[in-house]
Amino acid sequence: MILAAILGGLAGADRTAVGQTLLAHPAVAAGLAGWLVGAPAEGIWLGFCLTLLMQRHLPVGYESLWDTTSLAVAIPLAAGANAPEWAFGMTLVLGLVLARPAGRAINLLRSLALHNRKRLRRRLEAGELPPLERYHFGMSFLHFVRGLLVTVILALVLRLAIGLADSFFDESARRSFEAIWWSAPLLGVGVLLRQRARLPWLLFGLCLASLGLLLWGAP
Amino acid sequence: MQSLGFLVCLLPEARRRGLQGADLARWARDRLGYFNTNPYLAGMIVGATLHLDRSGREEESLRLQKGLASSLGALGDPFFWEGARPAVAYLGLSAAFLLGPIGILAAWALFAIASGAIRELCLRLGVERGPGVVDFLTRSWVHRSMSWARAAAGLSCGLALALGFFTRWNAQFSPFALICALGALICGFLAAWRRWPLDRVLILATILLWGILRSTSSM
């Protein structure tokens, strides 16, 4: 639990301030979080879902974003090792709703950085030299703290939701969340069908992998 | 955040040149302006600025910094955000479907090492060539690399789709799964076409599915 929360913090920092080494990518963050909590297959599938669902949203400029990085860590953290598939499906749907307000925390830190820059500039114009390195490393640390806190809060809310759903949901609700869990990536595939430049390569890759599966058998 | 990071990168060189107190504050003020570029290629601007500062051409370095930032953003954003990052993430997912979480770890390591090498290369290129990096950026293969990166992303996405759905759906295939899959594909296509947010589409799909399952189970 603690390790996964730290992973959320590190991924939060990697997303914006330090490294940008792909740790913040939902595929990597979810895969590692799933591995840490003992649900590796579900973690990989979650990373696959989030990567395909969020492919349209690029972190370029000042666009308001879903915090899919924290969500990718929070879902395996909330569901745990032996959760049923419907719990993953439900947390995916609920988590995507919560990830948008969670993404506002990133914009809040961006605004803080902008405010800091203006303040530092005023001090520099007055001929005073502020501790620039300390400000910079402080902001990077704040991104780590943001990632950690958002991950823990999301995980707690999602765990509470699983507990409530376990008591109140009937069989049909569970089946519908189960179906959402394994068909969610196809929503992203529907989006891909509209990207004409990428489509021929995608079909080529699809055929290549299918041929490989036919020749060498299923993994 | 980038402007402060850029300034912190240049500070040791300014101190080495003997700038202190009010002089250092004036120098820092000139460089703490608006700065936004692709983070993986930013080293090129740092290097070129160092090159010009060392040869006493500070005015030129400030102009180059502004011009290069937007050019590198225009080159780097499509290459990394739409090409290299998704390509490596999908490759990692494909490997993970075959080998487990170790595939994800390998993809993360591959991207971290490759992006680190590109950062180092950009910094060296900037330090060695100074304003001459502009000639490097006009080479045709630099521009072609963007479309190759996007093609690689499409190809690896196709691989991941085939492997993901085969490993997951092999055990769960049924007429109900097929109907759900077709529904998800159509919803995703419509969402991309009409620019509907996917989280809302996912919620609507869940409610619809829940309603259908509930009514069929009570019949």
Side-chain angles (χ1 to χ4, degrees):
Chain A
M1 168 93 181
I2 293 168
L3 274 179
I6 291 171
L7 174 70
L10 290 174
D14 183 82
R15 181 180 174 130
T16 40
V18 185
Q20 302 198 328
T21 60
L22 210 73
L23 177 63
H25 197 285
V28 178
L32 292 181
W35 201 11
L36 278 177
V37 302
E42 305 305 325
I44 293 164
W45 187 253
L46 173 67
F48 187 51
C49 291
L50 290 174
T51 304
L52 279 164
L53 287 173
M54 290 292 132
Q55 60 188 312
R56 269 194 308 184
H57 302 279
L58 303 175
V60 176
Y62 282 86
E63 194 198 345
S64 178
L65 296 161
W66 273 270
D67 190 357
T68 43
T69 306
S70 303
L71 183 63
V73 183
I75 290 178
L77 195 58
N82 301 313
E85 285 194 342
W86 68 262
F88 279 99
M90 192 204 68
T91 48
L92 176 69
V93 176
L94 183 61
L96 279 173
V97 176
L98 296 173
R100 204 202 282 249
R104 293 208 182 118
I106 300 174
N107 286 7
L108 198 74
L109 285 187
R110 280 175 175 168
S111 305
L112 183 67
L114 198 67
H115 173 76
N116 266 343
R117 181 160 67 90
K118 283 180 186 161
R119 213 171 59 171
L120 287 173
R121 231 181 122 78
R122 272 201 300 275
R123 285 178 70 179
L124 290 168
E125 272 164 6
E128 192 187 335
L129 191 71
L132 296 164
E133 286 99 338
R134 213 181 68 195
Y135 269 99
H136 182 59
F137 292 120
M139 281 305 298
S140 304
F141 183 69
L142 272 183
H143 277 280
F144 169 79
V145 174
R146 177 202 60 80
L148 193 136
L149 283 178
V150 170
T151 304
V152 170
I153 292 167
L154 276 176
L156 287 175
V157 172
L158 294 175
R159 182 165 280 190
L160 186 72
I162 292 172
L164 287 172
D166 202 24
S167 326
F168 295 111
F169 276 6
D170 58 3
E171 189 53 36
S172 57
R174 289 176 190 199
R175 273 194 73 198
S176 62
F177 280 120
E178 238 174 63
I180 287 291
W181 175 237
W182 44 254
S183 59
L186 283 164
L187 268 177
V189 176
V191 175
L192 281 171
L193 293 178
R194 290 274 302 164
Q195 296 182 353
R196 286 184 195 153
R198 226 187 252 188
L199 200 57
W201 289 102
L202 185 136
L203 292 174
F204 181 54
L206 203 67
C207 294
L208 206 68
S210 307
L211 193 70
L213 286 170
L214 276 175
L215 287 176
W216 290 295
Chain B
M1 253 218 66
Q2 281 195 9
S3 57
L4 190 56
F6 175 69
L7 181 59
V8 168
C9 285
L10 295 172
L11 265 179
E13 173 66 15
R15 291 204 173 105
R16 197 187 62 78
R17 280 164 48 211
L19 288 177
Q20 276 178 345
D23 288 338
L24 187 60
R26 184 189 52 78
W27 174 91
R29 182 204 62 198
D30 291 344
R31 274 153 189 79
L32 194 65
Y34 175 76
F35 182 74
N36 186 23
T37 189
N38 182 271
Y40 298 101
L41 305 179
M44 203 178 274
I45 307 175
V46 175
T49 307
L50 282 175
H51 179 97
L52 288 169
D53 280 1
R54 282 173 186 168
S55 48
R57 292 145 72 189
E58 288 194 7
E59 286 296 317
E60 201 182 330
S61 83
L62 288 171
R63 279 202 304 276
L64 185 80
Q65 175 193 328
K66 287 193 176 78
L68 264 184
S70 48
S71 307
L72 290 179
L75 274 175
D77 288 350
F79 181 84
F80 283 99
W81 299 115
E82 292 175 24
R85 277 174 67 99
V88 178
Y90 283 123
L91 269 183
L93 284 167
S94 308
F97 287 129
L98 295 171
L99 310 166
I102 201 84
I104 294 281
L105 270 180
W108 177 31
L110 173 76
F111 187 84
I113 293 167
S115 65
I118 289 173
R119 282 168 205 248
E120 175 69 20
L121 193 75
C122 285
L123 183 67
R124 278 169 192 261
L125 213 63
V127 171
E128 280 166 19
R129 299 192 184 189
V133 290
V134 176
D135 299 332
F136 173 79
L137 295 178
T138 55
R139 287 185 188 172
S140 60
W141 67 265
V142 175
H143 293 265
R144 272 205 308 272
S145 67
M146 284 192 282
S147 47
W148 280 109
R150 282 191 189 128
L155 187 74
S156 56
C157 180
L159 285 173
L161 281 175
L163 290 168
F165 282 110
F166 192 83
T167 49
R168 191 88 196 179
W169 281 44
N170 208 14
Q172 284 177 322
F173 192 77
S174 65
F176 173 64
L178 193 67
I179 291 165
C180 288
L182 280 174
L185 266 176
I186 293 165
C187 285
F189 186 78
L190 284 175
W193 182 34
R194 306 298 302 172
R195 296 194 171 275
W196 295 331
L198 277 177
D199 59 333
R200 287 176 206 171
V201 174
L202 204 60
I203 293 168
L204 277 176
T206 314
I207 294 169
L208 198 69
L209 196 62
W210 190 352
I212 292 168
L213 283 172
R214 205 180 178 132
S215 58
T216 50
S217 63
S218 60
M219 271 161 62

